[in-house]
C-alpha cells in the first residue's frame, strides 16, 4: 500500500492549488517530500501540517517572505511577530478605507476639490429646483474661487449660503438661470440686474473685500476669471453680469475692472 498523498491530493486537502504548493516549495516554506518508487512525491501528515500552517498564515495576511520565520519561531517570537503583522494590517485597512472614501467623493465629480460646506450648498441648489447645468456652473465657480482667491472663499461661500436661504434671492437666481437662453439685448436683463443690485446692496457691508485680496496686483484678473466663467457660452449671462457690475459701481461699490 502506498502511503501519503499526491501533490494534487495534498493541495486539495489544504485548500490551495498545486501551483501554490510548488510555490511554497520554491520559497522553502514547505520541504519537498520524498518520492515513491514511481517517482511521485508523497505528502505525509507532517508535510500536510506544515502546508496548512503556511496557508493559514498567508491567508491571515502574513507576507510569504515572513511565513518561513514564523513557522520556525518559538511561541514568544510567534506571538510578537503576529502582533506586528496585525499592526501593519490595521494600518493597511485604514489606508484602504481612506482610499474608498476618496473614491466615493471622486464619484461625485469635481466635488473632491471642494470642502463639505460647499458641497452642501451645491446640494441646496438641486433641492431648490435649479438645473444640473446651472449647478455645474456654480460648482466650477466655487472651485475657481477656492483656487484663485482663497482669502475670499469663506466669505464668498457665506454669501452664497445666505442667498440660498432667501426666497426672493432664489427667485432672482432662477431668473438668471432662465435668462442664459435669452437674447443679450433683452430688456428684461436690465430689470433683473437692477433687482439683483438692490438685493446685494441691502447687505452692503458684506461686499467689502479683505485687504489681502485688494493688495494683489492681479486681483482684477482673478475676480474676472471667476465672475465671467462660461460667459462665452451664454452671451445673455455676460450682459447680465456687465449690467450688475454697472449698477453696483453706480451705487459706489468698488467692483474690480476686469
Amino acid at each position: 500500500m502506498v502511503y501519503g498523498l499526491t501533490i494534487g491530493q495534498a493541495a486539495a486537502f489544504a485548500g490551495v492549488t498545486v501551483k501554490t504548493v510548488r510555490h511554497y516549495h520554491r520559497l522553502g516554506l514547505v520541504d519537498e517530500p520524498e518520492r515513491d518508487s514511481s517517482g511521485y512525491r508523497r505528502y505525509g501528515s507532517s508535510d500536510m501540517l506544515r502546508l496548512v500552517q503556511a496557508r493559514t498564515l498567508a491567508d491571515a495576511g502574513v507576507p510569504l517572505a515572513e511565513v518561513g520565520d514564523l513557522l520556525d519561531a518559538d511561541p514568544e517570537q510567534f506571538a510578537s511577530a503576529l502582533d506586528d503583522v496585525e499592526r501593519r494590517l490595521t494600518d493597511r485597512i485604514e489606508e484602504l478605507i481612506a482610499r474608498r472614501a476618496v473614491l466615493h467623493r471622486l464619484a461625485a465629480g469635481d466635488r473632491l476639490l471642494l470642502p463639505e460646506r460647499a458641497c452642501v450648498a451645491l446640494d441646496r441648489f438641486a433641492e431648490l429646483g435649479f438645473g444640473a447645468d446651472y449647478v455645474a456652473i456654480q460648482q466650477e465657480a466655487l472651485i475657481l474661487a477656492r483656487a484663485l482667491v482663497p482669502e475670499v472663499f469663506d466669505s464668498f461661500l457665506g454669501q452664497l449660503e445666505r442667498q440660498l436661504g432667501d426666497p426672493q434671492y432664489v427667485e432672482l437666481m432662477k431668473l438668471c438661470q432662465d435668462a442664459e437662453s435669452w437674447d443679450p439685448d433683452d430688456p428684461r436683463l436690465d430689470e433683473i440686474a437692477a433687482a439683483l443690485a438692490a438685493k446685494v446692496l441691502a447687505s452692503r457691508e458684506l461686499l467689502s473685500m479683505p485687504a489681502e485680496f485688494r493688495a494683489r496686483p492681479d486681483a482684477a484678473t482673478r475676480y474676472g476669471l471667476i465672475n465671467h466663467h462660461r460667459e462665452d457660452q451664454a452671451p445673455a449671462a455676460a450682459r447680465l453680469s456687465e449690467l450688475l457690475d454697472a449698477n453696483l459701481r453706480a451705487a459706489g461699490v468698488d467692483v474690480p475692472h476686469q
Side-chain angles (χ1 to χ4, degrees):
M1 178 179 177
V2 177
Y3 173 75
L5 305 173
T6 64
I7 189 171
Q9 292 171 318
F13 282 20
V16 297
T17 65
V18 170
K19 185 178 179 181
T20 297
V21 176
R22 288 178 173 146
H23 188 51
Y24 286 179
H25 289 326
R26 284 194 295 274
L27 294 175
L29 304 180
V30 179
D31 290 335
E32 291 191 38
E34 297 294 328
R35 295 177 184 270
D36 62 17
S37 57
S38 300
Y40 292 105
R41 298 187 188 93
R42 291 291 172 180
Y43 292 78
S45 58
S46 296
D47 302 313
M48 285 302 301
L49 175 62
R50 183 86 173 182
L51 184 55
V52 169
Q53 289 173 325
R55 185 218 64 191
T56 302
L57 289 171
D59 287 349
V62 178
L64 288 179
E66 300 176 23
V67 167
D69 290 340
L70 272 177
L71 290 174
D72 298 326
D74 61 36
E76 186 176 342
Q77 292 171 327
F78 186 85
S80 175
L82 283 188
D83 285 344
D84 183 54
V85 171
E86 183 180 0
R87 279 194 296 274
R88 281 182 279 156
L89 284 175
T90 300
D91 291 344
R92 180 63 174 155
I93 289 169
E94 290 174 353
E95 178 187 343
L96 290 173
I97 290 173
R99 287 189 182 185
R100 184 178 62 183
V102 169
L103 286 175
H104 286 170
R105 296 198 66 185
L106 280 173
D110 287 338
R111 289 188 170 206
L112 181 66
L113 304 174
L114 292 170
E116 184 61 26
R117 184 181 160 197
C119 294
V120 170
L122 291 171
D123 288 339
R124 185 63 183 145
F125 271 108
E127 292 166 2
L128 290 169
F130 287 90
D133 288 345
Y134 189 82
V135 177
I137 292 173
Q138 302 309 311
Q139 178 174 318
E140 291 169 1
L142 284 170
I143 292 170
L144 287 172
R146 191 184 188 200
L148 298 177
V149 288
E151 65 274 25
V152 179
F153 182 74
D154 282 343
S155 62
F156 178 70
L157 187 54
Q159 286 190 46
L160 183 60
E161 290 167 338
R162 280 188 287 276
Q163 291 163 358
L164 288 171
D166 181 341
Q168 291 181 338
Y169 206 104
V170 169
E171 287 305 310
L172 283 171
M173 284 195 284
K174 287 188 174 179
L175 282 175
C176 293
Q177 176 185 236
D178 297 339
E180 290 186 357
S181 60
W182 297 353
D183 187 283
D185 293 324
D186 192 312
R188 291 175 294 176
L189 294 176
D190 293 271
E191 297 172 10
I192 297 174
L196 275 173
K199 199 70 181 168
V200 170
L201 290 169
S203 302
R204 195 184 185 109
E205 70 281 2
L206 300 177
L207 296 177
S208 62
M209 294 287 188
E212 185 181 359
F213 172 74
R214 284 186 275 107
R216 285 183 181 273
D218 57 358
T221 301
R222 291 170 183 266
Y223 176 84
L225 284 169
I226 301 165
N227 199 36
H228 299 302
H229 176 57
R230 283 226 214 174
E231 285 185 353
D232 56 329
Q233 300 169 31
R239 176 60 180 157
L240 182 58
S241 178
E242 181 183 319
L243 290 170
L244 175 59
D245 285 354
N247 274 278
L248 294 176
R249 289 194 183 100
V253 177
D254 182 20
V255 179
H257 287 273
Q258 308 113 57

